[in-house]
Amino acid sequence: MPTQITLDSVSFIKNHLLLPLIALAALTLCLEFTQLDLWLAGHFYNVELRLWPYRDVWLTQTVLHKGGRYCVYAIGVGLLFCWLASFRSKSTLYGYRRQLTFLLFASLAGPLTITYLKSHTHIYCPWDLAIFGGSKPHIRLFDSVQDNLSVGHCFPSGHSGLGFTFVSLYFFFLLVKPEYKYYGLSAGLVTGFIFGINQEIRGAHFFSHDVFALAICWFSSLLLFMVFFSKQLK
């Protein structure tokens, strides 16, 4: 059976909610009122040829985009089997059933939220924009949107969100094996930023799209953690 660990609620809220919110607000303002997104994307767009040279190359498209997505799906199937096994009383995972249930829900919450938002936001991908050879206007988070514009299907970043969903491992290990919590956090951050940078290189997303994907995965995991393990917060 896992050891029952208690956490100081004030410190937990400060470190996991307030400080990340402040960091997100500061970064959002920076991205909203500067040209950082466009400046970064411009490094990967060939102005003379009017194309994204790395959009369809083997490493970025086949390995990191498609292969990375299937790898995350395979890990998700493995997690599902572990969760199902935890319902067997004779299984070694039986004592971790609640923690695995949290991990399963937290791993799904971020990507599902991102998928919903992508279907309702009017922020376009770099390769869709007129300034990068497309036809759509550059719309930022707080910009007004014309009624005749179609949904962008681009914000937040879905692919980096698949990687950032692993930040849920931080909260999982926080109770199961606290000394491993930063390994869990690193797994989510490294995977998410590898996926995110790859999509930025391809012209599929801006840096801000990845920032919000990370925020959604982090705060959805945090919310579910507080619901599942409120008794551990003292």
Side-chain angles (χ1 to χ4, degrees):
M1 294 293 289
T3 304
Q4 290 294 320
I5 297 173
T6 58
L7 303 167
D8 178 67
S9 59
V10 175
S11 177
F12 181 85
I13 294 297
K14 181 188 75 173
N15 294 328
H16 297 85
L17 177 61
L18 296 181
L19 292 180
L21 273 177
I22 292 171
L24 175 62
L27 193 50
T28 298
L29 291 174
C30 175
L31 292 168
E32 185 71 12
F33 297 107
T34 70
Q35 298 296 312
L36 181 59
D37 266 344
L38 296 175
W39 180 79
L40 289 173
H43 287 78
F44 308 112
Y45 179 70
N46 189 311
V47 178
E48 295 180 356
L49 298 178
R50 295 179 64 82
L51 55 78
W52 299 88
Y54 307 104
R55 178 171 179 171
D56 297 313
V57 301
W58 177 75
L59 178 61
T60 58
Q61 166 68 346
T62 304
V63 176
L64 292 175
H65 188 217
K66 291 183 178 179
R69 182 171 66 240
Y70 293 142
C71 183
V72 173
Y73 291 165
I75 293 173
V77 171
L79 172 59
L80 178 61
F81 279 116
C82 289
W83 176 71
L84 292 173
S86 71
F87 284 86
R88 296 179 56 201
S89 59
K90 295 182 180 180
S91 170
T92 55
L93 297 174
Y94 181 75
Y96 298 92
R97 183 175 54 190
R98 187 173 183 82
Q99 289 85 347
L100 285 169
T101 301
F102 156 75
L103 184 60
L104 180 65
F105 276 76
S107 298
L108 290 171
L112 289 176
T113 302
I114 290 171
T115 299
Y116 173 82
L117 291 175
K118 285 182 67 174
S119 300
H120 291 80
T121 53
H122 291 77
I123 297 177
Y124 299 102
C125 303
W127 60 35
D128 291 327
L129 303 185
I131 54 178
F132 292 126
S135 60
K136 301 296 184 180
H138 178 218
I139 299 175
R140 292 177 293 188
L141 186 61
F142 300 132
D143 288 344
S144 59
V145 179
Q146 299 175 10
D147 294 335
N148 62 339
L149 286 178
S150 60
V151 173
H153 296 289
C154 198
F155 179 85
S157 170
H159 193 56
S160 65
L162 286 178
F164 287 133
T165 193
F166 291 121
V167 298
S168 57
L169 288 170
Y170 170 86
F171 295 97
F172 174 76
F173 285 125
L174 189 60
L175 289 182
V176 172
K177 206 169 183 63
E179 60 270 28
Y180 285 5
K181 63 183 180 181
Y182 291 117
Y183 292 113
L185 180 61
S186 298
L189 293 179
V190 171
T191 307
F193 278 116
I194 288 176
F195 286 179
I197 292 171
N198 178 69
Q199 290 295 81
E200 291 171 39
I201 290 173
R202 296 181 66 234
H205 288 289
F206 285 120
F207 175 63
S208 60
H209 300 185
D210 298 322
V211 169
F212 276 88
L214 171 58
I216 289 169
C217 290
W218 175 264
F219 289 116
S220 60
S221 293
L222 173 62
L223 176 62
L224 285 170
F225 181 89
M226 296 175 69
V227 170
F228 271 78
F229 305 110
S230 58
K231 293 182 180 179
Q232 273 69 49
L233 297 173
K234 303 296 183 180

